[in-house]
Amino acid sequence: MIKCGVVGLGDMGSGLAKNLIAKGLQTAGFDLSEQRMNAFTEMGGQAAQGPADVGRQVDVVFVMVMTGDQAKAVILGDGLASTLQPGSVVILSATIRAAEAREIADGLAGSGIDLIDSPVSGGFPGAQGGTLTMMAAGSDAAMEKARPAMEAVSKTIHKVGTEPGMGQTVKACLQSLIGGVFSATFEAAVLAAKAGVPGQVLYDVVSTSSGGSIAANTALEKIIDRQFVGTGSQISTMHKDLTISLDLARELGVPLFTATAAMQLFQAGKTKYPEGDNWIVTRVLEEIVGAELKR
């Protein structure tokens, strides 16, 4: 049985670790937060002293950090690459720029360590519930070796390519769509509030109509219950993801009108409420019109 690791034990990484352990996979982990490390050991994980220490103990390791610079620091140099054995697999589950994923792959060249570029979708509920969607780009051999770990945390694994960066590219396309859906939902919620439509009525109609979706339904639920903080969907993450989508679009010369508008709404929410979650953008709009949507 393979030995697994997780570097980055926040809202998403803690879910990965939880489900790996639940499947009976020996799991080592590291996070800079002492509180997160304590929670990890309480669930049965093996605490490591740093990324290199994780690498000494595992065959397959998930990297779930926030930025490309963090991912490079964790994996390359004196990080995981310094201790992982040839034949080991790094699963880059963080969302970063495609070019950064390629830089990491270049840094691992010749080491015998395989990289699977596989950002995920499903957010906090998917991570904690083991139902994430994975967008995986890697060799057949690496995918086969890592499959028990990937199946422990994911309900749906899509192989989107073999080259590093393809997973991140697909994720950038997906996030441009999700950002637009969220933004349209926030605006619809504020329109309903100003018009005097009860939140429960709007939710019931949207969630059973062609306008409903997991993203829209989740956003509306959080809005009408006034749950704007601590839901596991921190606004900084979506802001970062939309930045990646728009940067890719600029590189390729693709106009993204809707995603650009979404980015400005998320920028407003992040500036006004930096500790809030995605849905807090609605509060910015509600404050403009002087109405709130409640259940």
Side-chain angles (χ1 to χ4, degrees):
M1 184 176 292
I2 62 171
K3 297 178 181 179
C4 300
V6 181
V7 178
L9 296 167
D11 288 336
M12 299 294 291
S14 64
L16 299 179
K18 169 187 171 184
N19 285 290
L20 291 169
I21 294 167
K23 292 293 185 180
L25 296 169
Q26 182 177 315
T27 305
F30 175 74
D31 193 281
L32 292 172
S33 165
E34 182 179 351
Q35 180 179 1
R36 291 174 180 174
M37 288 295 289
N38 289 338
F40 172 66
T41 56
E42 287 174 6
M43 71 172 71
Q46 298 178 349
Q49 301 304 308
D53 193 27
V54 173
R56 291 186 187 95
Q57 304 178 51
V58 304
D59 308 303
V60 176
V61 55
F62 291 88
V63 174
M64 186 60 88
V65 293
M66 180 64 75
T67 69
D69 286 342
Q70 291 171 350
K72 285 184 275 187
V74 161
I75 297 170
L76 302 179
D78 59 359
L80 292 165
S82 67
T83 54
L84 283 171
Q85 294 297 307
S88 301
V89 181
V90 174
I91 303 175
L92 179 59
S93 51
T95 298
I96 62 175
R97 289 175 172 81
E100 293 171 320
R102 289 190 289 269
E103 285 179 45
I104 292 170
D106 289 343
L108 292 175
S111 67
I113 300 168
D114 288 312
L115 178 71
I116 298 176
D117 173 25
S118 184
V120 300
S121 184
F124 180 74
Q128 297 295 320
T131 59
L132 290 169
T133 293
M134 304 189 78
M135 292 149 265
S139 70
D140 289 340
M143 293 275 288
E144 189 59 33
K145 181 162 191 176
R147 187 164 297 281
M150 296 171 73
E151 290 180 344
V153 304
S154 174
K155 181 179 180 181
T156 307
I157 301 170
H158 296 285
K159 185 170 183 181
V160 300
T162 58
E163 297 301 315
M166 280 306 300
Q168 302 298 337
T169 299
V170 173
K171 179 66 183 288
C173 297
L174 176 64
Q175 291 304 87
S176 72
L177 173 61
I178 292 176
V181 171
F182 277 159
S183 298
T185 304
F186 304 154
E187 291 181 340
V190 176
L191 179 62
K194 191 65 175 180
V197 177
Q200 186 67 55
V201 170
L202 182 64
Y203 177 81
D204 289 344
V205 170
V206 169
S207 63
T208 57
S209 74
S210 57
S213 66
I214 294 174
N217 298 350
T218 298
L220 268 180
E221 260 194 321
K222 302 304 181 187
I223 292 165
I224 64 179
D225 285 336
R226 316 306 291 172
Q227 295 179 354
F228 296 121
V229 179
T231 66
S233 298
Q234 224 279 329
I235 194 170
S236 294
T237 302
M238 178 57 76
H239 181 272
K240 181 259 299 184
D241 290 357
L242 284 172
T243 299
I244 292 171
S245 299
L246 292 173
D247 283 350
L248 178 63
R250 185 177 64 251
E251 291 169 15
L252 298 176
V254 177
L256 293 184
F257 299 105
T258 302
T260 300
M263 178 64 168
Q264 293 306 309
L265 284 168
F266 277 93
Q267 180 66 69
K270 182 174 180 290
T271 299
K272 184 71 180 292
Y273 299 107
E275 302 305 316
D277 291 344
N278 292 326
W279 347 109
I280 210 160
V281 173
T282 310
R283 288 190 62 185
V284 177
L285 300 176
E286 289 176 340
E287 289 162 7
I288 294 172
V289 305
E292 295 182 354
L293 189 69
K294 299 179 180 178
R295 190 176 287 276

